[in-house]
Amino acid sequence: MFHTIYISESILNEVKSESTIYWIADNMARNRMALFTETPEIREEAIRIMRESRRYPIKSIDYPEAVCLSIGRMLEITVLSENGGAYASQYIYLKGVTVWRAFEVLLELYRRGLIDKSEFTRYQAETHHRFSRRDLEAIGIGETL
Amino acid sequence: MWGIMGKTTIEELRKRFEESREIRRREADWDFINKQPPRIRAALIYYIESGDLYVASRIAGISMEEMNDLRVKARIPNTN
């Protein structure tokens, strides 16, 4: 679905568990993931996005997500984030940026026939995540979960 | 992007946020939360109110990944 997953240094620094670090390192070694070093331009744009987000009465954005949105905007690539502010930004003030949550990733896999509906339930159980009923019903699977 | 949102107005996004916050408040394990040291307790309550893992982790003085583990232990669903 994605050729390469970029991970910014500020996000990588938040990972502590051995299993997750090994998983990322292994995928970097296989060229499936790549480290994105934050340039001054990226940081400048991230700070601008953070300030812009404060102008609206919705969830604002903090630095790690702002960096990802900045990279997404500059490279025109999809941003993967569970942050509600990042998700909302694409509809309000970052209209050229696409943000996918886990829901959109699973949805794309489901539409491609790579997973079945049970994966939505499994993901929620394993991560203690709750997809909104509205999202599930909008794609016609809410009533089956 | 899939068209999964009927409306994408600020009002609609605020409504979704309020619904998510109610779910976090309702399902959190308050006994667990109230037994935590002050910084951790404050961070968990902040997360319940905001859904913001990054700032919550800074309040607690731990990484985002560690904060997420704590969120799961406190039975606070990640909703957005």
Side-chain angles (χ1 to χ4, degrees):
Chain A
M1 192 156 63
F2 298 108
H3 184 264
T4 303
I5 304 289
Y6 290 100
I7 181 164
S8 71
E9 284 193 25
S10 59
I11 294 293
L12 185 61
N13 287 339
E14 297 297 323
V15 179
K16 303 292 179 194
S17 70
E18 187 177 323
S19 60
T20 309
I21 286 288
Y22 273 120
W23 182 77
I24 291 171
D26 181 55
N27 278 290
M28 283 181 169
R30 295 168 190 264
N31 279 331
R32 294 173 181 160
M33 299 181 88
L35 181 67
F36 200 105
T37 300
E38 294 153 28
T39 63
E41 292 76 20
I42 292 286
R43 292 195 187 105
E44 204 172 287
E45 173 72 355
I47 290 167
R48 197 200 62 73
I49 290 171
M50 287 167 64
R51 293 172 87 177
E52 176 80 0
S53 76
R54 300 272 169 193
R55 295 180 53 218
Y56 298 91
I58 53 174
K59 180 78 192 63
S60 58
I61 293 172
D62 295 296
Y63 189 72
E65 282 78 25
V67 167
C68 293
L69 290 166
S70 172
I71 295 168
R73 177 183 248 184
M74 291 176 103
L75 300 187
E76 298 183 337
I77 55 178
T78 301
V79 175
L80 302 175
S81 174
E82 284 299 331
N83 183 277
Y87 181 71
S89 71
Q90 66 185 324
Y91 297 110
I92 308 298
Y93 54 90
L94 287 178
K95 292 194 173 175
V97 178
T98 299
V99 180
W100 278 14
R101 305 161 298 178
F103 179 79
E104 282 77 28
V105 173
L106 290 172
L107 180 60
E108 180 66 20
L109 291 169
Y110 174 63
R111 288 186 167 166
R112 291 185 185 201
L114 298 170
I115 62 171
D116 61 32
K117 291 174 185 177
S118 67
E119 291 297 328
F120 287 83
T121 306
R122 189 173 141 203
Y123 180 86
Q124 289 184 108
E126 287 185 355
T127 63
H128 205 61
H129 186 102
R130 180 73 51 81
F131 296 130
S132 83
R133 179 62 58 188
R134 193 177 324 178
D135 283 343
L136 292 171
E137 286 177 352
I139 59 167
I141 62 173
E143 68 281 2
T144 64
L145 294 177
Chain B
M1 190 66 195
W2 301 103
I4 56 167
M5 293 184 71
K7 297 176 184 175
T8 52
T9 62
I10 288 177
E11 194 50 43
E12 175 66 12
L13 292 165
R14 286 181 68 180
K15 190 176 171 191
R16 288 172 69 101
F17 178 80
E18 285 300 325
E19 289 171 358
S20 295
R21 176 155 55 192
E22 280 308 310
I23 292 170
R24 291 192 296 269
R25 283 175 178 163
R26 190 171 62 241
E27 298 195 12
D29 181 346
W30 288 97
D31 284 342
F32 174 88
I33 292 168
N34 289 327
K35 286 177 188 163
Q36 300 307 307
R39 286 186 76 94
I40 299 294
R41 186 165 66 239
L44 288 167
I45 292 171
Y46 176 84
Y47 179 78
I48 288 169
E49 293 302 307
S50 69
D52 188 328
L53 197 67
Y54 174 68
V55 174
S57 72
R58 273 22 206 193
I59 292 169
I62 57 180
S63 72
M64 287 177 76
E65 188 184 30
E66 290 163 333
M67 187 67 215
N68 191 51
D69 289 342
L70 204 52
R71 171 190 72 78
V72 174
K73 285 179 186 168
R75 306 198 57 76
I76 306 168
N78 178 20
T79 54
N80 53 39

